[in-house]
Amino acid sequence: MSDTATLTRKADFPGLLTPDGAPWHYLDTAATAQKPQAVIDAMSRAMGRDYATVHRGVYSRSAMMTQGYEAARRRVADFTGAQSENEIVFVRGATEAINLVAASWGMTRLTEGDRIVLSTLEHHSNIVPWQMVAERTGAQIDVCPLTENGCIDLGALEAMIGPRTKLVALAHVSNVLGSVLDARKAADLAHSVGAKILLDGCQAAPRMTLDMKALDCDFYAFSGHKLYGPTGIGVLWAREDILDSMPPWQGGGAMIDKVSFEGTTYAPPPQRFEAGTPMITEAIALHAAIDYVAAQDPDKLYEHENGLARKLREELRRTNAVTLFGPEESAGIVSFALEGVHPHDLGTILDEENVAIRAGHHCAQPLMEHLGVPATARASFGLYSDENDIAALMRGIERTRRIFG
């Protein structure tokens, strides 16, 4: 096997087998990652023998579960390079994280004529919340174009921002093209005009070492389920002073200091933004997922998946009927189109070969319009991927060409 296979841990992932025990070539990790047994076990224990509510109970199991829940917050703080665990807000996913920032920070900071800068390649979750804010506040959205190879054009960003720019919200890694943003340069540009910057880190968190101090961003969002953890939990990191200045987004239990009918005072962050019973078992399972990823040598995750993406692009180029999208160097994501075959048809035939890819617009319709296609086929790698998955994909593509030829 080549070096691109050195990180594979397929045996740790029960989901990588079909019901009859055959290999399942899972190439849809950008949508959601398969879960290692360690995460499944942690979730099972938390939902079973260890289960209790947190923060409220005086009995011993509740106290132990509270310790586990808050230990997960500290683990995420360490994973992100946060200055304090108070900068970590647990949410249902990156979509909720961005909506929280839009509703709490955006609705109270933006006014008519202010500018919000997005890019052509953003996921809908980093477009629609800002459109909603713009509709209600009178702020305007500017769209930063892409370079010819599918990266966010920071030269264009520098030219389009100005004193009325209040927020720049960009994907750290494109979920369609795998292109990687020079996040620190983007942050420096935003800060040069006094704007805040939010980074959508859904595709970066599973495969790149995070360091909020080095990135120098103001908000960072990612989902647990793409990081080999469970669905139903995500993370919003934000600077502690910014969180402290933001009003609550939702009201209810846990986010209060004192409640009376004469008025209510609120808890400090992060509790201020975690109304209601939290994602107890999900947080504990996310802790296990981060531990698992950390044990795989995080510095090599990007190298591993980038190498597989490069290998797949080389294989696809040998097929004259394939159009490739995005840069040559990508974070484990390859989008392509097969001439004369709709991506959904390709996906269906590949499924018969035990190969799973994603086909569609990938919640990035503006990018599809920019690319001039209604949809693409997307293969995305994880730490469990290897060249056998590429070989299975190519066999499926050849079969598809014969069927449609």
Side-chain angles (χ1 to χ4, degrees):
M1 300 294 289
S2 74
D3 289 343
T4 60
T6 56
L7 288 183
T8 55
R9 299 288 189 274
K10 287 187 184 292
D12 292 348
F13 294 82
L16 294 180
L17 294 174
T18 66
D20 61 2
W24 190 43
H25 301 283
Y26 185 72
L27 294 172
D28 198 20
T29 299
T32 193
Q34 292 294 312
K35 316 308 172 193
Q37 189 64 49
V39 170
I40 297 168
D41 291 344
M43 189 86 168
S44 179
R45 287 192 301 271
M47 294 185 72
R49 72 182 192 200
D50 295 342
Y51 187 73
T53 191
V54 297
H55 299 148
R56 300 181 182 92
V58 296
Y59 48 91
S60 59
R61 188 183 290 189
S62 175
M64 290 177 60
M65 188 61 92
T66 299
Q67 290 175 357
Y69 179 76
E70 292 303 332
R73 194 189 307 277
R74 291 191 295 273
R75 186 66 179 94
V76 173
D78 180 67
F79 175 73
T80 58
Q83 297 298 298
S84 165
E85 64 197 71
N86 294 330
E87 297 177 333
I88 303 300
V89 180
F90 284 135
V91 289
R92 289 182 300 167
T95 297
E96 183 167 278
I98 296 171
N99 274 274
L100 190 163
V101 177
S104 178
W105 183 88
M107 291 296 296
T108 59
R109 297 296 191 279
L110 300 177
T111 60
E112 187 171 358
D114 286 341
R115 319 296 294 193
I116 302 167
V117 179
L118 311 176
S119 83
T120 302
L121 59 68
E122 298 308 312
H123 190 281
H124 296 166
S125 293
N126 201 28
I127 298 175
V128 179
W130 303 114
Q131 290 176 326
M132 296 168 69
V133 169
E135 289 170 1
R136 296 171 186 171
T137 64
Q140 302 294 313
I141 292 176
D142 298 317
V143 181
C144 182
L146 308 181
T147 61
E148 288 187 6
N149 67 349
C151 296
I152 296 173
D153 189 337
L154 294 184
L157 175 65
E158 183 175 14
M160 71 194 309
I161 59 176
R164 293 309 300 266
T165 304
K166 302 302 180 184
L167 179 75
V168 176
L170 304 173
H172 195 173
V173 172
S174 167
N175 73 306
V176 177
L177 305 175
S179 49
V180 181
L181 174 72
D182 185 338
R184 179 55 188 259
K185 183 175 180 180
D188 289 344
L189 290 173
H191 293 155
S192 72
V193 295
K196 298 290 190 289
I197 183 167
L198 177 147
L199 296 177
D200 171 359
C202 281
Q203 302 300 333
R207 52 183 58 90
M208 298 170 68
T209 299
L210 299 183
D211 184 342
M212 295 301 110
K213 184 176 181 180
L215 291 175
D216 198 29
C217 57
D218 301 290
F219 304 99
Y220 199 93
F222 62 91
S223 293
H225 71 98
K226 298 180 192 294
L227 185 58
Y228 306 95
T231 56
I233 190 166
V235 171
L236 170 65
W237 171 89
R239 295 183 186 278
E240 193 168 0
D241 61 323
I242 298 176
L243 283 177
D244 194 54
S245 71
M246 289 165 51
W249 177 39
Q250 296 175 323
M255 49 74 68
I256 55 88
D257 173 37
K258 182 179 180 181
V259 176
S260 72
F261 284 110
E262 287 70 40
T264 294
T265 54
Y266 305 115
Q271 287 75 24
R272 182 186 302 168
F273 304 104
E274 296 181 5
T277 302
M279 315 81 164
I280 304 168
T281 58
E282 291 84 354
I284 289 170
L286 177 60
H287 187 161
I290 291 173
D291 284 347
Y292 182 88
V293 170
Q296 310 307 311
D297 192 347
D299 290 337
K300 292 185 178 180
L301 292 177
Y302 179 85
E303 177 186 347
H304 170 70
E305 295 172 34
N306 173 270
L308 289 170
R310 192 183 312 115
K311 173 67 174 177
L312 177 56
R313 293 178 76 91
E314 291 172 359
E315 294 291 333
L316 289 171
R317 269 201 199 86
R318 297 191 177 101
T319 305
N320 295 330
V322 168
T323 300
L324 287 163
F325 303 101
E328 288 301 306
E329 296 294 317
S330 71
I333 297 171
V334 178
S335 278
F336 62 96
L338 185 60
E339 184 180 342
V341 182
H342 193 282
H344 289 163
D345 294 326
L346 174 60
T348 299
I349 295 171
L350 288 172
D351 183 48
E352 297 171 356
E353 301 290 322
N354 291 336
V355 177
I357 65 164
R358 180 53 58 102
H361 55 64
H362 317 296
C363 294
Q365 288 178 311
L367 177 56
M368 295 298 110
E369 182 178 355
H370 169 78
L371 297 175
V373 294
T376 70
R378 183 187 70 187
S380 53
F381 300 103
L383 61 84
Y384 38 63
S385 303
D386 60 27
E387 292 187 11
N388 292 324
D389 299 315
I390 294 176
L393 172 61
M394 295 308 300
R395 288 194 299 269
I397 288 174
E398 288 305 311
R399 179 184 171 218
T400 303
R401 291 186 67 194
R402 291 194 298 270
I403 291 173
F404 281 85

